[in-house]
Amino acid sequence: MKLSELMAGKTPSADYEGWVTADDWVLAIDTAARGDTETKVSDYEVVQMGVEGLDAQLNPVTSEKTYIRAGQSTQKTGAARSFAVTGDRYVGDPAQDYMLSHSIKYGTGNGVVVNYVYFCFLNGVGEKGQVSVIVNSDGGGNAGESSSVDIQLSKIGAEPEEYTYSAEEGI
C-alpha cells in the first residue's frame, strides 16, 4: 500500500496530545528502481502487511572514559537508527516483495540502500533518511504455521532529517 493510500482522508494534527500505540507509527520505504528521478514520498510503500512487530531502535553510540578525580564518564557520540521488522510472509505486498527480492536478499553495498520515512500517524512528526535492508530470515516456521520473516533496516550515511507528513505532499 502506498503512503498516499494509507493517508487518504487523514490529516495528522500538529496539536495532538495523548497516548500513542504501536499502530500509530508509519514506516514507508522507497521501492522504486534507482534512476535520475526522485520518488515522491507519497509513492513510498508502507511496511505493514503481515507485520507483527516493528521495533524502532536508536542504538546510542557512546564513548567511555575515566578521568583523574572525576571517575568514569560516558559521552553520547551518536545514534544508529534501526528497525526490526518481524511477522508473517505475505506474497503480493509491495514492501515485503521488494525487501525479500533476490536482489535485496543477496545484494550488498548501495544495492540494498533505500530511502524511508518514519512518523507518528497522529501528529505527522518523524524522520526521513536512508537504511540498508538486511534480511535475516525470508520465511520459515513449523508445519501448519505461517511463514515468518525477520528483516532489519539499519541507518546508513548521514543522520536522518526531521520530517513532518503533509497531506499536500506529492500532489
Side-chain angles (χ1 to χ4, degrees):
M1 167 186 294
K2 294 200 180 302
L3 184 57
S4 59
E5 296 168 329
L6 175 71
M7 298 303 290
K10 298 174 182 72
T11 305
S13 171
D15 297 329
Y16 176 80
E17 179 180 327
W19 299 108
V20 179
T21 69
D23 288 346
D24 296 325
W25 291 95
V26 177
L27 173 64
I29 60 172
D30 181 2
T31 61
R34 300 232 192 264
D36 294 334
T37 60
E38 188 173 325
T39 306
K40 293 185 278 186
V41 172
S42 60
D43 288 334
Y44 284 17
E45 294 292 343
V46 178
V47 178
Q48 73 174 19
M49 189 60 120
V51 174
E52 291 179 303
L54 176 59
D55 188 11
Q57 294 290 319
L58 286 172
N59 309 316
V61 179
T62 61
S63 173
E64 306 274 337
K65 294 196 177 192
T66 303
Y67 296 103
I68 296 174
R69 288 177 292 285
Q72 188 173 2
S73 177
T74 301
Q75 182 177 26
K76 181 180 173 189
T77 58
R81 164 64 85 194
S82 68
F83 302 95
V85 178
T86 56
D88 296 331
R89 178 66 169 112
Y90 187 93
V91 174
D93 174 62
Q96 273 199 38
D97 289 350
Y98 175 81
M99 291 187 291
L100 296 171
S101 67
H102 187 82
S103 63
I104 297 296
K105 288 190 297 189
Y106 294 101
T108 59
N110 286 338
V112 298
V113 173
V114 299
N115 296 321
Y116 78 93
V117 293
Y118 179 67
F119 64 94
C120 179
F121 194 78
L122 302 169
N123 66 5
V125 175
E127 66 189 46
K128 180 179 184 179
Q130 289 189 315
V131 289
S132 287
V133 179
I134 303 160
V135 178
N136 297 314
S137 174
D138 65 346
N142 296 321
E145 294 180 355
S146 296
S147 178
S148 61
V149 296
D150 178 359
I151 304 165
Q152 179 179 330
L153 301 137
S154 296
K155 174 193 148 319
I156 187 167
E159 179 180 310
E161 302 170 9
E162 286 187 53
Y163 172 80
T164 301
Y165 173 81
S166 167
E168 287 78 40
E169 220 168 81
I171 294 176

